[in-house]
């Protein structure tokens, strides 16, 4: 059976560090032409189908531009383009589409949908977001943190040198604080950060809890690596001593009807300078957000500040997605 990329929970710390390292190499090769731009076209004549049942800016642009760089063809199949969900089942669509293409990148509703697709597909399947997990986002977050820590340690902002250090040398020991919903982004962090030796504290309002299987994985990993893992309802507790503060929308795609209730339940969770400084984050704390962003979860002062890594984080979706495509469709596995 083909290898897939459904969640980072399926891969070891070394495999994840190496994927991030590969993404950094691809960025250097493509943007900084160092040591030599190879521009091999390993996907010549190959097709990746983008089966997206929800909207996307970053994931779509990152994927289509990556496939073009590698010489292949990306075929965007949105919910208004194909029979899926209107006249045809996911099962039949999976069998048909996978018989004609070399890879599938799918953005779905329930996580069972991406699992069904992976089970039925004859070609590699990449999870482009499900209600449970968002693995390619978390690779981009790791890459962005690696670059940030590397440049911080080496004091070279004018020159791109992040490829001279392996992510396994920068990321362990980082303390990440999550303030927000118990959603797909937090869940993907939970199944990867503790395994990578990173500390994670999550503040979610009362009544907003991660899936039990996800919590179990995080607990087991944090015990194995000796990292701190904290769940709280108090943003201040989560932020104390954090290197990074992360949030996301309070209303994920598919939850639009819960908007009024959620806006009320998340009162006091907006990330502001005042909140983070009162809570006692590390003096050089940074801010991250997967985007798209609304001002209710983080104000403009933080979002557009020098502490904010959100735009490099968005760009890094491209290099990390390219690394996953390269692993699955060129090299044959992660
Ligand atoms: N962060 C992210 O996945 O963005 P899109 O929904 O625009 O792809
Ligand atoms: N939690 C958000 C992430 C969007 C990239 C959602 O699922 O809509």
């Amino acid at each position: 059976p083909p290898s897939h990329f459904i969640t980072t929970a399926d891969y070891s710390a070394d495999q994840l560090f190496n994927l991030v390292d590969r993404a950094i190499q691809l960025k250097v090769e493509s943007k900084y032409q160092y040591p030599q731009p190879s521009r091999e076209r390993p996907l010549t004549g190959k097709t990746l189908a983008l089966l997206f049942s929800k909207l996307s800016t970053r994931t779509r642009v990152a994927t289509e531009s990556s496939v073009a760089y590698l010489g292949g063809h990306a075929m965007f199949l949105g919910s208004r383009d194909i029979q899926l969900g209107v006249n045809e089942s996911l099962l039949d669509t999976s069998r048909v589409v996978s018989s004609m293409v070399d890879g599938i990148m799918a953005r779905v509703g329930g996580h069972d949908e991406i699992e069904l697709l992976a089970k039925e597909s004859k070609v590699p399947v990449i999870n482009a977001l499900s209600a449970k997990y968002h693995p390619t986002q978390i690779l981009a977050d790791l890459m962005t943190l690696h670059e940030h820590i590397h440049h911080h340690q080496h004091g070279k902002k004018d020159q791109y040198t992040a490829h001279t250090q392996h992510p396994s040398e920068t990321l362990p020991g980082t303390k990440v604080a999550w303030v927000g919903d118990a959603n797909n982004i937090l869940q993907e962090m939970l199944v990867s950060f503790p395994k990578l030796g990173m500390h994670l504290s999550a503040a979610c309002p009362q009544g907003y809890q991660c899936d039990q299987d996800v919590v179990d994985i995080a607990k087991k990993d944090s015990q194995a690596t000796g990292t701190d893992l904290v769940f709280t309802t108090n943003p201040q507790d989560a932020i104390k001593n954090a290197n990074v503060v992360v949030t996301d929308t309070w209303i994920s795609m598919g939850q639009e009807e819960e908007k009024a209730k959620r806006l009320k339940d998340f009162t006091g969770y907006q990330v502001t300078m005042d909140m983070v400084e009162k809570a006692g984050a590390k003096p050089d704390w940074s801010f991250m957000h997967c985007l798209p962003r609304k001002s209710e979860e983080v104000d403009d002062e933080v979002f557009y500040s020098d502490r904010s890594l959100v735009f490099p984080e968005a760009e890094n979706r491209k290099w990390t997605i390219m690394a996953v495509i390269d692993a699955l469709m060129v090299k044959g596995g992660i």
Side-chain angles (χ1 to χ4, degrees):
S3 2
H4 304 300
F5 193 66
I6 304 301
T7 163
T8 55
D10 295 339
Y11 293 100
S12 71
D14 279 346
Q15 286 172 311
L16 297 177
F17 283 136
N18 288 337
L19 268 178
V20 174
D21 188 54
R22 178 68 181 137
I24 295 163
Q25 303 302 331
L26 287 163
K27 180 175 185 174
V28 171
E29 200 185 287
S30 168
K31 278 187 82 170
Y32 304 99
Q33 312 210 314
Y34 173 86
Q36 271 289 298
S38 61
R39 285 201 71 99
E40 285 169 42
R41 298 269 188 174
L43 290 187
T44 300
K46 301 221 165 155
T47 308
L48 177 69
L50 273 66
L51 219 53
F52 277 41
S53 71
K54 293 174 178 169
L55 298 176
S56 170
T57 299
R58 280 143 289 271
T59 312
R60 178 179 178 176
V61 174
T63 306
E64 293 200 23
S65 60
S66 291
V67 172
Y69 180 76
L70 298 172
H73 177 73
M75 193 189 283
F76 187 78
L77 307 171
S79 53
R80 287 195 195 84
D81 301 311
I82 56 170
Q83 308 277 15
L84 175 63
V86 182
N87 290 317
E88 199 161 22
S89 71
L90 180 64
L91 175 69
D92 296 0
T93 306
S94 309
R95 290 186 182 173
V96 171
V97 173
S98 87
S99 74
M100 296 188 221
V101 300
D102 303 285
I104 297 176
M105 174 111 178
R107 174 163 282 198
V108 298
H111 193 66
D112 54 319
E113 294 177 33
I114 194 87
E115 286 180 332
L116 174 72
L117 190 53
K119 186 168 145 275
E120 292 298 328
S121 175
K122 294 164 203 69
V123 297
V125 172
I126 302 169
N127 180 3
L129 179 148
S130 70
K132 180 165 184 157
Y133 287 131
H134 195 4
T136 62
Q137 178 68 50
I138 263 43
L139 288 183
D141 292 2
L142 291 167
M143 176 173 175
T144 308
L145 277 176
H146 163 80
E147 291 178 333
H148 178 73
I149 296 165
H150 169 83
H151 288 295
H152 197 71
Q153 284 175 356
H154 293 78
K156 288 181 212 152
K157 278 242 153 100
D158 49 332
Q159 209 188 333
Y160 190 84
T161 55
H163 58 296
T164 61
Q165 220 181 354
H166 196 260
S168 61
E169 298 171 73
T170 54
L171 295 172
T174 304
K175 184 185 167 187
V176 178
W178 174 271
V179 178
D181 191 12
N183 67 10
N184 43 7
I185 304 289
L186 173 59
Q187 299 211 135
E188 194 68 59
M189 289 182 175
L190 283 165
V191 298
S192 54
F193 288 4
K195 181 163 61 189
L196 301 177
M198 298 162 69
H199 310 292
L200 183 56
S201 301
C204 307
Q206 200 79 50
Y208 292 82
Q209 272 166 356
C210 291
D211 298 343
Q212 193 55 49
D213 61 326
V214 171
V215 173
D216 290 344
I217 293 171
K219 284 190 175 155
K220 195 168 142 273
D221 288 345
S222 71
Q223 272 159 19
T225 57
T227 51
D228 302 329
L229 175 69
V230 176
F231 294 98
T232 172
T233 55
N234 183 346
Q236 311 269 332
D237 291 347
I239 292 170
K240 194 164 173 46
N241 289 322
N243 300 104
V244 196
V245 178
V246 196
T247 191
D248 181 19
T249 183
W250 297 339
I251 301 134
S252 284
M253 290 180 277
Q255 298 173 333
E256 292 76 8
E257 281 163 25
E258 296 170 35
K259 184 170 176 181
K261 175 174 165 41
R262 284 176 167 267
L263 289 179
K264 198 162 133 264
D265 292 347
F266 284 82
T267 305
Y269 273 69
Q270 188 194 42
V271 177
T272 63
M273 290 291 179
D274 192 49
M275 170 202 257
V276 179
E277 269 146 34
K278 273 200 186 124
K282 289 268 161 59
D284 55 356
W285 65 276
S286 314
F287 175 75
M288 296 181 78
H289 189 308
C290 65
L291 313 183
R293 166 253 180 179
K294 303 241 172 56
S295 54
E296 59 230 23
E297 69 263 12
V298 54
D299 70 0
D300 280 358
E301 192 187 2
V302 171
F303 188 78
Y304 293 108
S305 71
D306 289 347
R307 296 183 181 279
S308 176
L309 304 177
V310 299
F311 296 110
E313 179 183 3
E315 181 197 326
N316 285 340
R317 300 298 311 287
K318 173 166 178 167
W319 311 114
T320 43
I321 284 175
M322 197 186 288
V324 173
I325 292 171
D326 173 68
L328 293 180
M329 293 180 69
V330 180
K331 303 201 165 72
I334 300 290

